[in-house]
């Protein structure tokens, strides 16, 4: 819940995180905190991020909005991340938390990007009896 509230706070203050994943979540006194704002950016800022990073495909591949892959790989169009991209990353983070393993665990970077660009996602891991 704290991660969701933290992301909501960022969005309410016109900030896109753009790199939300499990390694950017810290636990302090039992509270989950979002960290690493290195490639974060203000909404509608097309010239510079808060830190100056501008590459759309920077970040942990399995958490990047699929439209970034689909449009860039299939059509050569660069898609800017937006608040929906952060929500997608939150969804993947929640998938990891509920399944206990990172998304696309054991896949190499090329396989991850190709798999995602083909609109394929991780399947839930079923609990063993």
């Amino acid at each position: 819940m704290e991660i969701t509230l933290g992301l909501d706070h960022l969005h309410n203050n016109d900030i896109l995180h753009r790199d939300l994943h499990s390694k950017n979540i810290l636990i302090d006194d039992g509270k989950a905190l979002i960290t690493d704002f290195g490639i974060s950016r203000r909404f509608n800022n097309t010239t510079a991020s808060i830190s100056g990073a501008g590459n759309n495909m920077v970040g942990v591949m399995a958490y990047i909005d699929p439209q970034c892959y689909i449009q860039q790989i299939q059509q050569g169009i660069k898609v800017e991340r937006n608040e929906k991209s952060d929500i997608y990353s939150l969804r993947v983070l929640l998938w990891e938390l509920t399944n206990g393993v990172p998304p696309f665990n054991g896949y190499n970077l090329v396989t991850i990007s190709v798999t995602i660009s083909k609109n394929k996602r991780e399947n839930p891991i079923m609990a063993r009896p």
Side-chain angles (χ1 to χ4, degrees):
M1 179 62 93
E2 291 157 344
I3 299 166
T4 303
L5 292 173
L7 188 59
D8 184 55
H9 177 77
L10 291 174
H11 289 178
N12 286 334
N13 287 283
D14 296 331
I15 298 172
L16 300 173
H17 190 278
R18 298 177 8 134
D19 194 23
L20 187 63
H21 56 82
S22 58
K23 291 182 181 177
N24 284 343
I25 303 297
L26 301 178
I27 305 297
D28 182 44
D29 269 341
K31 293 183 180 182
L33 305 170
I34 299 172
T35 64
D36 189 359
F37 294 88
I39 64 169
S40 61
R41 168 181 293 215
R42 292 224 174 256
F43 285 15
N44 301 319
N45 181 351
T46 58
T47 57
S49 67
I50 292 172
S51 70
N55 186 341
N56 193 45
M57 295 299 273
V58 172
V60 177
M61 295 183 98
Y63 291 83
I64 295 175
D65 181 351
Q67 289 305 310
C68 293
Y69 295 108
I70 293 167
Q71 300 296 322
Q72 190 161 351
I73 291 171
Q74 294 178 358
Q75 300 172 10
I77 300 169
K78 181 178 176 183
V79 175
E80 288 295 327
R81 294 186 211 176
N82 56 30
E83 58 271 25
K84 291 178 183 178
S85 303
D86 277 352
I87 299 301
Y88 177 83
S89 298
L90 175 63
R91 175 220 167 267
V92 176
L93 176 61
L94 295 175
W95 181 93
E96 180 177 349
L97 289 171
T98 57
N99 286 283
V101 296
F104 298 104
N105 193 32
Y107 286 49
N108 66 45
L109 296 178
V110 172
T111 304
I112 292 172
S113 64
V114 170
T115 300
I116 292 172
S117 72
K118 291 181 178 179
N119 214 21
K120 295 183 181 176
R121 305 292 177 270
E122 286 277 27
N123 292 319
I125 297 173
M126 304 307 280
R128 295 184 183 164

